Amino acid sequence: MRQPRVLLWGAAGAVALGFLIALEIAARHYGLPGPIANQAREVMFAPKSGPLLYASMALMMVVLTWRQRAITAAAAVGIDLAFFLVRWAVDADMMFGNGALWAILGWGVIALTRRTGPERVFLLKGVGLGLLLVAGRKTGDTWLLITSKTRPTVLDQYVATADHALGNPSWLAGRIVEATGSLGAHVLDWVYIQLAVAAVVVSLYQLRNVATERRFPGHYLVRTFLVIGLVGPAIYMIFPVVGPIFTYGTGAFGTGGEQWALADLWPHTPPPLATPHAIPFDEITPRNCMPSLHTAWATAIFIHSRKGPRVLQYAGTFWLVATLGATLGFGYHYGADIIAGVVFAFTIDAALRALDRGWDRSGIQLVAYGTTVFALLLVSYRYLPVQMADHPWIFGPLLVLAMASVIHGYVRTTRLWDPKAVPAQRPEPQPEMV
């Protein structure tokens, strides 16, 4: 049993490395560094996201003892302080996080040079987990670059037309966010940006016993989070969409892309109904709208927070609601993207849970159903948008019901998968001693 598992991990690592190399070559083709070069650069230069690097280090530390965690955290902070002083002295870009990356890489060196056997493998799994989160972010950035360079036209008019069936929720949310002023916008923006950090918080709870049990659980949030980010950009290539704020004007939140907007409509004037067609767009804006991966990630956080303590459940609910408010209220997505993102998240998580427990009829049916609904959503947005806009009282509820049916199927099926709690046995009454 151990040998096939080792071979599986080796194959997965080889595929991941090949994928990163391919993305690096693709990015170089367009004159920009790829995920490998960008990550190597952050060893010395200012990182793009310090919180993400410290969150990645926290994930890596689930395999360490409490003493090792304290030493690692202190070393990371000390290294960051040294970088801070040097950058301040030479007036360079200021950002923390190098120390966390050094700490992760340092434990990788220790695993290879000072550990052997199962201890080496266990420690390398922790290091790999931390680096996977960072690599996932860099890979996503490169994917977005590729979408903007290889998809000269976008299908926003199709999605915007279909969105009439839902009542143009992005336009409504945009006006609500605008009414909240700068405070509401800043809170939503912070939630939107720090989504990966929220995922790490939930994951740390799920992985809290890894150091003592010396093994990882079969299914946890990081796996779902990474697979969503890996598979999602492929849909971007099939269905390129840039979002309301880029296609229909800048509204209250300027983007600098006004010259490419069809009209200055968002968020006060919904787009008029017309025969949709593909429109040319710039080579800068990512085609990262369909499906909404931020919605998918926030949905995954919500799903995995359900089995945590009440405070974690509240946090997961807040992150989902706030992320939906940001994706719609900032004009990044249409309502149709949100529905597709929710279906996408539940289907991916169902597939990973089925893979962990072993595929059976219920798992295959659940994943097949979610995949079918997701495909039908994309086909409908592309080929039936005018009919959807003309009959909103039919297609609007149908879209919501399709999403709800996937959620219901997931909850009903996975509830049967969960181990049943064994009731505590009551002691048998004993006869009195005479």
Side-chain angles (χ1 to χ4, degrees), residues 175-196:
R175 294 194 296 273
I176 293 174
V177 173
E178 189 178 45
T180 63
S182 60
L183 177 60
H186 280 104
V187 171
L188 292 180
D189 184 60
W190 182 81
V191 169
Y192 189 85
I193 292 174
Q194 302 301 337
L195 191 65

Side-chain angles (χ1 to χ4, degrees), residues 144-145 147-149 242 259-260 281-287:
L144 297 183
L145 166 69
T147 64
S148 65
K149 299 294 185 181
V242 294
Q259 67 272 21
W260 289 95
F281 217 77
D282 64 34
E283 295 185 359
I284 301 173
T285 307
R287 280 62 163 153

Side-chain angles (χ1 to χ4, degrees), residues 19-39:
F19 181 68
L20 287 174
I21 294 174
L23 284 180
E24 185 73 27
I25 295 172
R28 294 287 179 177
H29 175 72
Y30 294 108
L32 294 171
I36 298 175
N38 277 328
Q39 192 55 67

Side-chain angles (χ1 to χ4, degrees), residues 327-364:
T327 54
L328 290 172
F330 290 151
Y332 298 150
H333 292 278
Y334 303 91
D337 312 334
I338 303 300
I339 289 178
V342 171
V343 172
F344 189 71
F346 275 97
T347 303
I348 292 292
D349 198 74
L352 291 175
R353 287 198 64 170
L355 178 65
D356 175 57
R357 68 184 299 274
W359 289 97
D360 59 10
R361 183 177 180 181
S362 63
I364 294 173

Side-chain angles (χ1 to χ4, degrees), residues 88-344:
W88 177 73
V90 300
D91 196 25
D93 292 337
M94 303 299 291
M95 176 53 74
F96 63 93
N98 300 87
L101 182 57
W102 279 43
I104 297 173
L105 296 175
W107 277 109
V109 173
I110 291 174
L112 293 173
T113 60
R114 306 291 297 274
R115 299 288 190 272
T116 58
E119 282 299 312
R120 171 186 287 177
V121 174
F122 183 65
L123 185 52
L124 284 176
K125 284 184 179 180
V127 172
L129 185 64
L131 290 178
L132 270 177
L133 188 63
V134 179
R137 174 67 176 268
K138 300 304 179 187
T139 300
D141 292 343
T142 304
W143 259 122
L144 297 183
L145 166 69
I146 293 173
T147 64
S148 65
K149 299 294 185 181
T150 61
R151 293 295 178 267
T153 60
V154 296
L155 304 178
D156 280 75
Q157 282 196 336
Y158 292 89
V159 185
T161 302
D163 225 37
H164 281 272
L166 298 169
N168 300 296
S170 179
W171 271 255
L172 174 61
R175 294 194 296 273
I176 293 174
V177 173
E178 189 178 45
T180 63
S182 60
L183 177 60
H186 280 104
V187 171
L188 292 180
D189 184 60
W190 182 81
V191 169
Y192 189 85
I193 292 174
Q194 302 301 337
L195 191 65
V197 177
V200 168
V201 172
V202 176
S203 299
L204 289 176
Y205 173 79
Q206 294 179 317
L207 302 176
R208 64 193 183 280
N209 296 323
V210 166
T212 55
E213 296 178 356
R214 313 305 291 174
R215 65 180 181 86
F216 283 83
H219 180 56
Y220 51 97
L221 176 58
V222 175
R223 298 176 68 203
T224 303
F225 213 79
L226 291 173
V227 173
I228 287 174
L230 181 65
V231 178
I235 314 300
Y236 294 164
M237 304 292 285
I238 298 171
F239 208 117
V241 183
V242 294
I245 197 172
F246 298 104
T247 310
Y248 296 100
T250 58
F253 310 98
T255 64
E258 298 89 344
Q259 67 272 21
W260 289 95
L262 294 179
D264 190 6
L265 301 178
W266 190 89
H268 299 289
T269 307
L273 286 177
T275 303
H277 60 277
I279 57 176
F281 217 77
D282 64 34
E283 295 185 359
I284 301 173
T285 307
R287 280 62 163 153
N288 64 335
C289 199
M290 177 63 72
S292 169
L293 290 198
H294 261 79
T295 297
W297 283 320
T299 301
I301 291 173
F302 176 81
I303 293 171
H304 284 261
S305 66
R306 294 307 88 194
K307 293 184 179 180
R310 187 158 297 179
V311 63
L312 200 64
Q313 295 179 20
Y314 289 155
T317 303
F318 165 76
W319 226 270
L320 176 60
V321 173
T323 301
L324 293 178
T327 54
L328 290 172
F330 290 151
Y332 298 150
H333 292 278
Y334 303 91
D337 312 334
I338 303 300
I339 289 178
V342 171
V343 172
F344 189 71

